[in-house]
């Protein structure tokens, strides 16, 4: 699952579900309700989103908040979300690099100790 989706708030999930749900025909809305669409309660909101995927038209298939805003025509907000996502990715890569450097240093220390204890012939 996209990182941005995991960080969406409960209210953002609800709003997105409602917008997609109200974009369905009345018959599709009835079918969605029969299949368990219920946009209240965190678990139900998430499962309702999965349910809505079956009803949605492929031209409005949203996989991220960025695409959601883009589909609504809100280019400024979509760009803001893209910037936020890229900043988070940069931060995560920097943290990963630091962690790898720590591991590398630790391995070098272990290797140096082993070589000091058991010198090569």
């Amino acid at each position: 699952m996209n990182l941005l989706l995991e960080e969406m708030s409960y209210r953002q999930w609800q709003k997105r579900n409602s917008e997609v749900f109200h974009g369905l025909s009345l018959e599709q809305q009835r079918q969605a309700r029969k299949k368990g669409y219920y946009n209240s309660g965190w678990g139900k909101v998430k499962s309702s989103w999965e349910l809505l995927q079956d009803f949605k038209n492929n031209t409005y298939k949203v996989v991220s908040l960025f695409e959601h805003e883009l589909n609504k025509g809100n280019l400024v907000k979509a760009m803001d979300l893209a910037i936020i996502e890229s900043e988070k990715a940069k931060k995560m890569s920097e943290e990963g690099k630091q962690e790898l450097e720590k591991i590398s240093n630790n391995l070098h220390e272990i290797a140096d100790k082993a070589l000091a204890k058991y010198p090569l012939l």
Side-chain angles (χ1 to χ4, degrees), residues 4 15 25 36 65 70 79 86 93-94 98 100 110 112 116:
L4 192 55
K15 183 178 179 186
S25 70
L65 190 54
L70 204 56
M79 292 303 295
S86 67
S93 68
E94 288 170 356
Q98 289 173 354
L100 287 173
I110 292 169
D112 290 342

Side-chain angles (χ1 to χ4, degrees), residues 14 21 26 29 36-37 40 50 55-56 58 61-63 73-74 78-79 84 92 96 98 113 121:
Q14 270 189 317
F21 181 77
L26 291 177
Q29 288 179 12
Y37 175 82
S40 183
E50 296 299 322
F55 290 97
K56 282 191 336 177
N58 281 337
K61 188 161 180 98
V62 177
V63 294
N74 193 346
M79 292 303 295
I84 290 168
M92 287 176 63
Q98 289 173 354
K113 286 178 184 177
L121 296 175

